[in-house]
Amino acid sequence: MVKRRPGSASDPLWYKDAIIYELHVKAFNDSNADGIGDFQGLIQKLDYLQTLGVTCIWLLPFFPSPMRDDGYDIADYMNVHPGYGTMDDFKAFMTAAHERDLQVMIELVINHTSDQHPWFQAARNSPPGSPERDYYVWSDTDEKYKEARIIFTDTEKSNWTWDPVAKAYFWHRFFSHQPDLNFDNPHVLEEVLTVMRFWLDLGVDGLRLDAIPYLIERDGTNCENLPETHVIIKKIRRAMDADYANRIILAEANQWPSDVRPYFGDGDECHMTFHFPVMPRIYMALRQEDRLPIVDIMMQTPPIPETCQWGLFLRNHDELTLEMVTNDERDYMYLAYSADPRTRINLGIRRRLAPLVDNSRRRIELLNSLLFSLPGTPIIYYGDEIGMGDNVYLGDRNGVRTPMQWNPDRNAGFSRANPAMLYSPVIMDPVWGYQAVNVEAQQSEPSSLLNWMRNMIALRKLFRVFGRGTLDFLAPANRKILAYLRRLDGEQILCVMNLSRFAQPVDLDLAELAGMTPVEMLGYVEFPAITRDPYRLTLGPYGFFWLELHGEPHAAEVPAETVSNLIPASDLSMGWAGLIPNLEATVLAEYLPKQRWFGAKSRKIQNVRVTDWAELGNAALMFLQVEYQSGPPEEYFTPFIMTDGVLQDAVQDDAFCIALLTLNEFTTKRGKITGQVLDADPSLSVRRGSAEQSNSSVIYGDRLILKLFRKQQAGPNPEIEIGKYLAEKTTFDRVPPFAGSLEYIRESEASSAIAIVQGLVPNEGDGWKWTTEELERFYENCARTTFPQASESARDHVGAYIEAASVLGKRTAELHLALAAETEDPAFTPEPFSTGDIEATAGQMREEAAQALELLKSTLSRLPDEALEMAGLALGRRRQIIDRLLLPVHNHSYGKRIRTHGDYHLGQVLRARNDFVILDFEGEPARPLAQRRAKYSPLKDVAGMLRSFSYAANSTLMTYTMRHPEDFASLAPWARLWEQTVAAEFLSSYRQTAEPGNVLPESDEGFRRLLDACLLEKGMYELMYELNNRPTWVRIPLAGILALTS
Amino acid sequence: MGMAESGIEQIGVAEVVVGLVPASHDAQTLEAAISRIVEFTPPVKAVLIHPPYSANGAYPPYTGTQWRLVANPQLAQDPSSLAQSLGDSFRVIFDLTQRLGGRACAIIASDLSTVTSEWVPLLLQPIVEEQFDLVAPCYARHPFEGLINRAIVYPLIRALYGKRVRNPLGPDFGISSTLVERLATTPTRRVHPIASLATEAATSGLKICQSHLGPRIFPPMDWTNLSSLLAQVLGALFLDVERYAPHWQRARDSQPIPEFGHPTFVAGPEGAVDVTRLIESFQLGARNLPEVWGMILPPSTLVELRRLAKHDAAGFRMPDETWARIVYDFALGHRVRAINRDQMLRAITPIYLGWVASYALELDNMAPEAVEQRLEMLCVAFEHTKSYLVSRWRWPDRFNP
């Protein structure tokens, strides 16, 4: 076997822990005073790079070139540009770099050459069809490949250029002097491999493949990311792996993460690719003081093979590219970061890091802390470690490619040449000039940015978790705070960042890490231990914490309510069968009322009987019949395990949770459990949800969630029923994917649902949380703003939420259309609203309204002062309220009755990738199954969501003005404006989408009357709830009721 | 082909290798040591590699035993560059061990006149029979022998890597083929074969133990050359501190390691030690080196040293925490290259002499067991102060207390 030639690194995955430093030889250090940096000059500065702590040098093109695209127009692949030195100089540089444990990466620009390259000169002078001609892409017309976009929009009008010598058009994706190579010609690939081997033989550790999405052209496509391109890359990789060890390929593919993912292949294409889209979003998050852009793009980032890695950067030699953002986002970025139009080029902004953030040291540090802690290998652009500036007066992107500023001497210490000879003027203005910003000064200043960067790099290198660990975002309420956990082999690091210019508090939910102690990593300072309570931190403006978590988390702490009394040791020896009499006699009656999911806490238990049971591993699955002193009995499903004589909910046991997931058919003493879960992988990690009230939920890895139904009711469970129906019979996909269910069948009785399993949807939180966070920001912005007069400007103030409301309205309508589709399944067949239905519905509404008003009257004296006036008004409008609930029958159609969500509000949707996913079709768990499966007007769901908007606006206003009481008067109209604007948008979008389905009342009048009635019914329900539970909130439903009846 | 090459080829394979690296060219001592060593009958085929010094030009072949002797001229100690020459000799033995396919090797670099027939089994049996990877030595010595190890090497290695290896720098070791391979595959510029043995084993999760070898004759201390010796020892140690930073920053507390053989104690010289010259050397350093120390040590430590320099023997005590922080600050200074490394390492010499004076005054007529307890207190101080090093290492800002 031929031994593969090793690189300078001994670890094959060295690039995962690397810190890459990108530099241009010509810009770094000039040793021979000709005004151009060279390899000998670079060698002199290697100690500087070693001290800085970087581990890999990425050299921009240094090959012979006419230099019309900063060296990316190569005229000779296997030589050194004479201005930069000789091949011997390059070899000396390689040796010196490797002696310092610095890896070296160079450019392999294979998409195109310079038009001065001998291959192109031969091609244009050779006849069509000749082998020489076939090295490039030619055409007699410029009409081919029309769908391919133009990348350099500022300079190029077409991707074809007429060549008068060849008398044909040649293809170029970049400048017209850079003809694209023809990779359909196998000889071209052979040439490329020869070039690759040439440099790898010289010890180069990595190759950056420039512009690889464009290697292949095909008609009818956009000529990007084509399958044939991947075939070429795989061949290059195979050739590299065959003869060389520990070398890497880094791909430049400026695409969305999902489009970049194929460039990793199955670990058989590129080792690394740049993560282009995260970069502008880091800047966006900073300017908006909102973590969402970063979280959103990272959630869209697919997993990559184990041996692959993302390359992260804040700035590079090109413009801050805005290709991978939406049009709105691009507009925002231009406004936020390029007030001076001269800084714009192509689809981007040509500025360095420090000028982009107005030279704020805190912002630079924050951005670098992100760069060093997000998953991937950080890449630092030369000069950014000292906060170098740029020169917008230089053409193209040359303003960010000026000489490195070493000291305050002539030419910034870069060269001893006459300043007029320099390849580029040095930066000289008072703020960014080399007299103010240079390495020498910063080396001698302990608090300089350079020393800070050196320390941060050294710190990052101590922890492999940064380069190799997993990423889990936390979702604190304060969206100005970005927080995430990095984990690797038991090592855990918590990163918390304040994106705001002001100090911010944050409460982090770290309950699963309770028992561990955070140690601030920069100063090795121990913080208070984590408990199950929210972990409170306060961060200064643009502050950040890297916290190393020491110790072990407490073993999954069992909530007190899940543990019963000790079972006598004598009983334990008899197994579960022997225990049951004791459980029935005393234990269960004490155990059940302590459970969060037990719904009859106010009822007195008379007797608990185990009606059926079975053993599953160490656990016992029990079906309990609970009889009360009054009222009908109930049945509950409760799995148990026994630990050291303590009876405990088996949901706390990982092994049981896995057994439940993989259960197919299972016999109990008197019946059986059936069902199946798709994709039930027993190797998934297990954690437990905490927000459930009447059920329990178990989360498996990042893939599945199982909801365990505790209260057993015979008959189809609406959540399973609708989940299956939507998955199997409709195309509506804005729901979690249905993955399976478990049902219990006892002898000849009807089945009852035990569990539903659904795919876990990556999201940014539920709709309620997301909305209230948006409202917090809205109130904060509006607090000092004059209330607008024109409605259009009001919409402007509400901002991005309008679009969200519109999307939500659309999704709600699509759900109703899916549930209203014609079907043979009687459970889902839409039914008309008959006269009897209308009268019955309206009658029930009036009855409930009357009850609510009676309750209001009887509790009047106990209401808070600020609600009294509103309550009096509502009682005075009793007649109007009842009238509103009289639905005229004649000459009115109220659409159809269909299956609905049944308990629809913002808490039942997830915000996911600028869209919504609708959850939880269980209906009101307290209601009987028949009611939860009944058909209603879809406007009941619509009313639920509209009321939820009202609750969000008002409850957030209450919490906001608790901190800022002086703002209540000025913000109250803003709250109404928000509610009205959002509700109108939701409703408009809903009606527009649902109209064709004929589900809704035909006339506007009918629509309005039915919707008002549903809103009023919901308002009355809320009124009763608040009177019974939260009298201080009673203002919210009262305001809604008064608005409807005014 | 040299003598060593032909010998190796004839032997083919051996399970264990013993290498002798004597400090002097004394042929008689070498022969005597060899004859004591081969009194031990190894259960497996063993090769003894030694320098070619001979009184009569030949060694008995020890036919009929498991021993095979190979003379190798590359094994030697050069006092002028002790670390370098010992390192080279260790590498020769590692190489031969690998070529012979040995499971373990033992290296003896102490004065050969103290070597007994028990040394080889004590260094090799834990590896061959109990799968240890490194057997470090424990010696019976009086309180004023091996002071650099007591003052710096042992407490530092113990605090950083969490293993209580009494003599991390040996120089006598038993080494498994696993550890030999690890060291052989690491580029020589990154690892010193002696200084890195214990750290490499500790950070790789390999099994370490120590064997009580009894008394060892220490080379007489050359006080005039102390700065060079300290620079050599600390230079190698601090390079490892830098290299293994990701490991030692995660190690917490320290654990004892298994021991073989029986510990013995040696009483120190009777009567009070005259520390006057030591204190004078410290005071001279305090007068002449404040600029250099100022580049390495924080103000609070400088103030303490200045205060200490005003004391005579009666009140001269250097607190353990102060000494530990000074060693840590020098390790950090070495990493950040505060000044020329050699110059910096030499600048610790007066402070070290101050520590020796303080130690001698405390130990005045102490029982050997009490000396051990005193040493344990120093080690605990190093462990307690470790967080100081971690924090300074992570954020080496000069603006500190």
Side-chain angles (χ1 to χ4, degrees):
Chain A
M1 194 173 93
V2 180
K3 194 171 177 195
R4 300 190 305 153
R5 298 187 63 169
S8 66
S10 51
D11 180 354
L13 299 179
W14 61 268
Y15 49 93
K16 289 198 157 205
D17 309 314
I19 312 280
I20 298 176
Y21 189 87
E22 178 194 359
L23 66 88
H24 207 319
V25 176
K26 78 172 179 188
F28 211 56
N29 191 32
D30 171 20
S31 71
N32 59 359
D34 64 355
I36 304 170
D38 45 48
F39 277 108
Q40 286 299 336
L42 176 55
I43 291 170
Q44 292 167 9
K45 297 299 181 184
L46 287 178
D47 286 339
Y48 165 77
L49 296 178
Q50 191 184 24
T51 307
L52 178 59
V54 299
T55 65
C56 176
I57 301 170
W58 160 21
L59 298 178
L60 292 172
F62 54 80
F63 316 99
S65 156
M67 288 299 194
R68 296 177 66 191
D69 185 19
D70 206 33
Y72 281 95
D73 47 336
I74 295 172
D76 179 357
Y77 280 108
M78 295 197 281
N79 214 331
V80 171
H81 189 290
Y84 305 158
T86 63
M87 280 304 296
D88 283 342
D89 290 336
F90 176 79
K91 289 173 190 169
F93 157 72
M94 290 296 296
T95 304
H98 287 166
E99 275 173 357
R100 290 166 176 80
D101 288 333
L102 292 165
Q103 275 72 56
V104 176
M105 180 161 61
I106 67 165
E107 297 272 350
L108 194 59
V109 185
I110 60 172
N111 179 67
H112 50 262
T113 67
S114 160
D115 58 8
Q116 302 303 305
H117 195 288
W119 295 343
F120 186 73
Q121 292 302 321
R124 70 195 309 200
N125 286 300
S126 300
S130 63
E132 290 82 3
R133 181 86 151 207
D134 201 30
Y135 268 44
Y136 293 85
V137 182
W138 299 97
S139 171
D140 294 334
T141 158
D142 60 357
E143 292 299 307
K144 283 176 82 176
Y145 315 139
K146 274 291 185 194
E147 289 84 354
R149 68 191 168 110
I150 295 166
I151 294 167
F152 286 169
T153 51
D154 285 4
T155 52
E156 301 301 323
K157 300 291 171 240
S158 168
N159 287 323
W160 291 106
T161 289
W162 175 256
D163 182 50
V165 178
K167 297 193 169 34
Y169 290 96
F170 66 86
W171 177 253
H172 56 88
R173 289 308 299 270
F174 296 92
F175 289 118
S176 59
H177 55 79
Q178 290 169 317
D180 276 23
L181 285 164
N182 175 20
F183 276 89
D184 285 328
N185 177 358
H187 293 300
V188 169
L189 179 60
E190 277 310 312
E191 295 276 15
V192 164
L193 295 180
T194 302
V195 171
M196 178 185 84
R197 291 189 182 106
F198 175 79
W199 292 107
L200 293 180
D201 285 342
L202 288 169
V204 162
D205 300 284
L207 298 168
R208 175 187 174 273
L209 292 190
D210 183 64
I212 53 167
Y214 317 110
L215 297 185
I216 297 282
E217 304 76 30
R218 291 289 180 267
D219 251 333
T221 72
N222 65 359
C223 298
E224 296 181 18
N225 310 319
L226 300 183
E228 294 90 333
T229 300
H230 292 284
V231 174
I232 299 288
I233 297 168
K234 281 183 204 293
K235 284 180 180 171
I236 294 173
R237 172 68 184 269
R238 250 200 321 272
M240 176 185 266
D241 286 351
D243 296 332
Y244 305 91
N246 304 351
R247 318 296 181 96
I248 67 155
I249 296 171
L250 165 63
E252 187 214 24
N254 188 355
Q255 307 282 327
W256 290 96
S258 54
D259 292 329
V260 174
R261 171 62 186 82
Y263 287 95
F264 292 115
D266 296 322
D268 57 355
E269 292 192 27
C270 302
H271 300 79
M272 288 181 66
T273 77
F274 293 108
H275 198 313
F276 274 97
V278 75
M279 185 263 302
R281 283 170 179 80
I282 287 175
Y283 289 97
M284 205 182 300
L286 178 74
R287 195 63 188 254
Q288 294 179 342
E289 303 193 352
D290 187 342
R291 66 171 181 257
L292 197 62
I294 296 173
V295 175
D296 184 53
I297 199 68
M298 294 309 288
M299 300 295 263
Q300 290 182 46
T301 302
I304 56 176
E306 195 64 25
T307 53
C308 295
Q309 177 77 318
W310 293 105
L312 304 178
F313 58 96
L314 294 172
R315 289 300 303 113
N316 62 15
H317 60 286
D318 283 329
E319 69 274 24
L320 191 168
T321 173
L322 298 173
E323 287 175 74
M324 292 303 125
V325 298
T326 65
N327 291 339
D328 282 351
E329 288 170 335
R330 190 175 305 121
D331 286 347
Y332 178 83
M333 288 293 286
Y334 278 142
L335 290 167
Y337 285 107
S338 65
D340 181 348
R342 282 172 301 202
T343 60
R344 299 179 193 177
I345 187 170
N346 300 322
L347 289 180
I349 302 167
R350 47 177 184 165
R351 301 228 76 174
R352 271 184 176 271
L353 170 62
L356 274 170
V357 295
D358 289 349
N359 209 14
S360 158
R361 173 72 181 271
R362 283 179 173 170
R363 288 185 204 120
I364 293 172
E365 290 182 0
L366 178 70
L367 293 191
N368 276 298
S369 80
L370 266 167
L371 175 72
F372 291 138
S373 62
L374 282 173
T377 293
I379 299 161
I380 300 165
Y381 185 48
Y382 84 93
D384 281 350
E385 75 273 23
I386 56 170
M388 250 174 76
D390 47 38
N391 182 349
V392 295
Y393 299 99
L394 297 176
D396 195 10
R397 291 146 292 179
N398 295 327
V400 299
R401 299 168 179 177
T402 56
M404 180 70 177
Q405 296 171 189
W406 293 106
N407 59 43
D409 295 342
R410 187 172 69 167
N411 299 331
F414 159 75
S415 170
R416 287 171 283 109
N418 182 325
M421 290 171 67
L422 298 189
Y423 77 91
S424 160
V426 291
I427 308 262
M428 287 182 285
D429 67 64
V431 175
W432 307 102
Y434 61 88
Q435 296 92 340
V437 180
N438 64 68
V439 170
E440 188 179 285
Q442 296 202 15
Q443 277 175 331
S444 61
E445 186 198 343
S447 305
S448 64
L449 177 62
L450 177 62
N451 280 319
W452 185 91
M453 287 288 284
R454 193 194 59 193
N455 288 349
M456 287 298 282
I457 290 169
L459 188 60
R460 175 184 156 112
K461 281 159 62 179
L462 287 176
F463 294 87
R464 225 173 218 201
V465 59
F466 286 125
R468 306 192 184 203
T470 59
L471 170 77
D472 290 300
F473 283 109
L474 304 179
N478 185 350
R479 267 179 31 191
K480 295 179 194 304
I481 300 292
L482 173 67
Y484 46 91
L485 278 163
R486 303 295 317 276
R487 293 181 166 113
L488 179 73
D489 300 335
E491 186 166 82
Q492 305 196 58
I493 286 172
L494 171 64
C495 301
V496 190
M497 281 137 198
N498 176 11
L499 300 168
S500 164
R501 61 206 186 282
F502 302 119
Q504 295 292 326
V506 65
D507 282 347
L508 299 172
D509 178 4
L510 300 175
E512 67 169 301
L513 303 168
M516 301 189 85
T517 302
V519 176
E520 198 278 323
M521 289 169 64
L522 280 62
Y524 207 60
V525 178
E526 198 166 294
F527 275 36
I530 298 168
T531 68
R532 295 198 168 271
D533 295 329
Y535 195 80
R536 181 157 296 181
L537 290 170
T538 306
L539 293 96
Y542 301 119
F544 70 91
F545 287 128
W546 285 3
L547 298 164
E548 189 183 349
L549 303 183
H550 285 185
E552 295 292 326
H554 292 322
E557 199 175 285
V558 181
E561 69 266 25
T562 65
V563 181
S564 89
N565 298 332
L566 275 172
I567 306 294
S570 56
D571 290 356
L572 292 175
S573 58
M574 296 182 289
W576 287 106
L579 281 173
I580 286 176
N582 186 9
L583 296 178
E584 288 180 327
T586 55
V587 175
L588 292 172
E590 281 179 34
Y591 175 86
L592 287 172
K594 294 178 191 166
Q595 308 312 307
R596 186 167 49 190
W597 44 260
F598 185 65
K601 293 191 180 70
S602 58
R603 298 173 74 184
K604 197 153 174 67
I605 296 175
Q606 192 168 50
N607 181 33
V608 182
R609 201 161 55 83
V610 178
T611 55
D612 193 6
W613 72 282
E615 288 187 39
L616 177 64
N618 290 331
L621 315 181
M622 294 194 187
F623 294 87
L624 310 178
Q625 188 177 58
V626 188
E627 292 174 1
Y628 304 96
Q629 284 190 344
S630 60
E634 292 180 321
E635 185 132 350
Y636 283 90
F637 170 61
T638 52
F640 289 116
I641 55 167
M642 188 76 74
T643 311
D644 299 330
V646 176
L647 191 68
Q648 173 177 322
D649 192 335
V651 170
Q652 301 299 327
D653 181 57
D654 288 358
F656 167 76
C657 294
I658 291 294
L660 199 61
L661 184 71
T662 50
L663 205 65
N664 282 336
E665 181 143 343
F666 181 71
T667 309
T668 61
K669 304 293 177 202
R670 292 184 55 205
K672 63 179 178 180
I673 294 171
T674 63
Q676 192 171 12
V677 176
L678 305 171
D679 202 17
D681 178 356
S683 67
L684 289 171
S685 62
V686 173
R687 62 197 163 95
R688 281 146 280 271
S690 58
E692 292 285 320
Q693 281 300 320
S694 47
N695 306 306
S696 303
S697 58
V698 182
I699 297 159
Y700 297 90
D702 57 0
R703 299 234 301 266
L704 298 171
I705 179 166
L706 178 147
K707 185 193 278 190
L708 200 65
F709 299 114
R710 299 300 194 143
K711 188 173 169 185
Q712 295 293 291
Q713 297 187 66
N717 176 290
E719 184 150 29
I720 296 174
E721 194 180 20
I722 294 178
K724 269 172 104 164
Y725 180 82
L726 290 173
E728 293 168 7
K729 301 284 170 53
T730 77
T731 56
F732 183 68
D733 63 354
R734 302 308 302 175
V735 288
F738 180 77
S741 62
L742 294 174
E743 290 183 354
Y744 170 59
I745 306 166
R746 179 163 30 201
E747 292 167 350
S748 57
E749 296 173 21
S751 67
S752 59
I754 289 182
I756 181 172
V757 184
Q758 295 166 307
L760 209 55
V761 181
N763 65 82
E764 292 116 49
D766 68 49
W768 174 262
K769 186 166 152 291
W770 186 76
T771 303
T772 52
E773 286 170 3
E774 286 287 324
L775 275 160
E776 280 274 341
R777 286 156 47 84
F778 173 70
Y779 290 138
E780 194 180 304
N781 290 335
C782 295
R784 302 283 174 268
T785 310
T786 311
F787 190 72
Q789 300 304 314
S791 63
E792 197 51 41
S793 96
R795 286 174 60 87
D796 289 347
H797 285 282
V798 174
Y801 201 91
I802 289 189
E803 194 183 331
S806 173
V807 172
L808 186 55
K810 185 167 187 283
R811 298 298 177 224
T812 308
E814 288 170 352
L815 168 71
H816 287 154
L817 290 175
L819 291 171
E822 286 303 325
T823 172
E824 291 174 1
D825 185 343
F828 286 88
T829 311
E831 293 173 17
F833 240 125
S834 69
T835 307
D837 292 333
I838 296 164
E839 284 175 350
T841 301
Q844 192 181 347
M845 287 174 170
R846 288 197 301 277
E847 197 176 309
E848 286 173 4
Q851 283 174 11
L853 291 171
E854 280 306 310
L855 186 63
L856 179 64
K857 201 161 118 187
S858 65
T859 54
L860 211 51
S861 61
R862 285 180 277 139
L863 291 182
D865 290 348
E866 62 273 17
L868 269 178
E869 189 182 342
M870 294 167 90
L873 268 174
L875 287 170
R877 290 186 191 170
R878 182 188 182 99
R879 188 67 263 155
Q880 289 147 282
I881 291 170
I882 300 298
D883 282 351
R884 288 275 173 156
L885 296 171
L886 284 169
L887 291 173
V889 179
H890 298 294
N891 299 325
H892 278 91
S893 157
Y894 292 106
K896 289 180 178 161
R897 289 190 303 119
I898 61 170
R899 293 295 292 273
T900 60
H901 183 280
D903 186 19
Y904 199 50
H905 54 79
L906 283 166
Q908 304 282 39
V909 296
L910 291 177
R911 181 70 175 162
R913 298 185 183 180
N914 292 328
D915 206 323
F916 290 94
V917 170
I918 302 171
L919 301 173
D920 199 351
F921 291 84
E922 204 186 351
E924 278 278 352
R927 292 184 187 273
L929 208 54
Q931 275 188 32
R932 288 155 57 193
R933 295 186 62 230
K935 292 169 186 161
Y936 299 99
S937 166
L939 293 186
K940 270 193 115 152
D941 282 350
V942 173
M945 190 54 75
L946 292 175
R947 288 300 307 147
S948 195
F949 289 140
S950 178
Y951 254 74
N954 288 292
S955 64
T956 311
L957 179 65
M958 281 165 64
T959 49
Y960 184 86
T961 52
M962 258 189 256
R963 300 194 306 272
H964 310 279
E966 71 283 2
D967 290 338
F968 184 84
S970 63
L971 285 178
W974 283 107
R976 284 194 293 278
L977 171 90
W978 185 93
E979 183 187 336
Q980 287 162 5
T981 312
V982 165
E985 193 68 29
F986 173 84
L987 213 47
S988 158
S989 170
Y990 177 84
R991 285 191 76 176
Q992 209 172 347
T993 311
E995 208 75 74
N998 198 22
V999 178
L1000 303 178
E1002 282 171 16
S1003 67
D1004 284 349
E1005 168 75 4
F1007 184 91
R1008 188 186 56 76
R1009 276 190 168 268
L1010 185 55
L1011 180 60
D1012 280 358
C1014 291
L1015 283 167
L1016 211 44
E1017 180 200 26
K1018 187 76 180 166
M1020 287 298 167
Y1021 170 84
E1022 291 162 1
L1023 180 62
M1024 284 185 73
Y1025 179 85
E1026 303 298 6
L1027 287 170
N1028 284 326
N1029 298 289
R1030 290 185 302 194
T1032 51
W1033 283 51
V1034 80
R1035 277 190 308 176
I1036 298 177
L1038 280 174
I1041 291 164
L1042 291 174
L1044 279 167
T1045 53
S1046 63
Chain B
M1 184 184 287
M3 184 179 359
E5 292 299 313
S6 61
I8 294 296
E9 285 205 348
Q10 282 167 13
I11 292 165
V13 294
E15 289 220 40
V16 296
V17 174
V18 176
L20 302 184
V21 191
S24 71
H25 287 227
D26 182 348
Q28 279 187 336
T29 307
L30 176 65
E31 284 177 16
I34 291 173
S35 58
R36 285 198 299 277
I37 287 170
V38 297
E39 281 173 26
F40 166 67
T41 306
V44 292
K45 193 169 168 185
V47 170
L48 178 64
I49 307 169
H50 58 87
Y53 321 141
S54 171
N56 55 17
Y59 290 94
Y62 298 102
T63 48
T65 75
Q66 295 277 32
W67 286 107
R68 297 288 180 275
L69 267 60
V70 177
N72 188 307
Q74 292 170 282
L75 303 182
Q77 293 185 34
D78 176 2
S80 64
S81 61
L82 193 59
Q84 177 69 40
S85 58
L86 262 177
D88 292 344
S89 298
F90 270 53
R91 283 204 184 89
V92 168
I93 297 165
F94 292 164
D95 179 49
L96 292 177
T97 305
Q98 286 191 301
R99 286 169 57 190
L100 289 165
R103 286 166 58 191
C105 68
I107 301 179
I108 297 173
S110 288
D111 189 313
L112 292 181
S113 57
T114 51
V115 175
T116 69
S117 61
E118 291 176 346
W119 278 38
V120 167
L122 278 167
L123 291 173
L124 284 178
Q125 276 173 353
I127 299 171
V128 175
E129 294 174 9
E130 307 205 29
Q131 285 73 51
F132 281 93
D133 292 293
L134 178 68
V135 186
C138 280
Y139 304 106
R141 55 191 174 191
H142 73 65
F144 295 104
E145 284 178 333
L147 279 184
I148 294 178
N149 184 58
R150 285 172 196 255
I152 303 172
V153 182
Y154 170 48
L156 182 71
I157 297 284
R158 168 175 158 169
L160 293 194
Y161 304 102
K163 300 284 183 205
R164 296 181 190 169
V165 186
R166 293 298 297 265
N167 291 283
L169 301 184
D172 310 303
F173 289 108
I175 308 156
S176 75
S177 57
T178 308
L179 184 51
V180 165
E181 172 136 6
R182 286 191 74 90
L183 291 164
T185 53
T186 310
T188 50
R189 68 176 182 276
R190 292 191 202 152
V191 59
H192 190 278
I194 307 171
S196 303
L197 265 177
T199 44
E200 182 70 32
T203 55
S204 308
L206 299 179
K207 287 176 70 183
I208 308 175
C209 65
Q210 49 200 354
S211 285
H212 292 277
L213 301 179
R216 170 193 174 211
I217 293 179
F218 284 81
M221 173 55 76
D222 177 5
W223 294 98
T224 59
N225 202 27
L226 178 61
S227 291
S228 295
L229 182 62
L230 275 170
Q232 281 190 57
V233 172
L234 296 187
L237 271 185
F238 290 166
L239 278 177
D240 270 357
V241 171
E242 191 170 346
R243 178 177 166 223
Y244 293 106
H247 297 274
W248 59 257
Q249 298 216 354
R250 286 162 178 72
R252 315 248 178 273
D253 307 321
S254 71
Q255 293 83 41
I257 56 174
E259 297 187 0
F260 296 86
H262 304 289
T264 48
F265 297 101
V266 178
E270 296 220 344
V273 179
D274 182 8
V275 297
T276 312
R277 289 188 60 189
L278 294 172
I279 293 175
E280 283 173 0
S281 297
F282 169 72
Q283 290 166 333
L284 189 65
R287 278 198 302 279
N288 294 340
L289 294 172
E291 288 84 9
V292 178
W293 289 357
M295 282 187 263
I296 301 157
L297 303 173
S300 55
T301 307
L302 291 170
V303 167
E304 272 195 79
L305 292 180
R306 192 172 292 181
R307 201 179 293 140
L308 192 60
K310 291 175 186 160
H311 283 97
D312 57 13
F316 196 90
R317 292 289 183 280
M318 188 181 291
D320 287 348
E321 277 77 13
T322 305
W323 173 238
R325 281 205 304 273
I326 288 168
V327 172
Y328 288 151
D329 282 323
F330 271 82
L332 183 71
H334 187 268
R335 176 200 161 200
V336 301
R337 294 173 165 82
I339 51 171
N340 172 280
R341 283 182 161 175
D342 190 60
Q343 187 189 356
M344 188 203 75
L345 293 173
R346 288 168 187 272
I348 201 174
T349 310
I351 314 178
Y352 168 73
L353 292 174
W355 178 85
V356 174
S358 173
Y359 170 80
L361 289 165
E362 270 192 79
L363 257 55
D364 196 11
N365 291 324
M366 236 183 220
E369 293 80 1
V371 173
E372 283 303 303
Q373 285 172 9
R374 179 66 196 84
L375 188 57
E376 179 65 18
M377 282 168 59
L378 178 67
C379 290
V380 169
F382 267 78
E383 289 183 23
H384 282 172
T385 323
K386 181 177 171 181
S387 60
Y388 171 84
L389 174 64
V390 178
S391 64
R392 288 220 61 201
W393 191 274
R394 291 190 179 181
W395 210 254
D397 192 340
R398 291 219 311 263
F399 196 83
N400 55 54

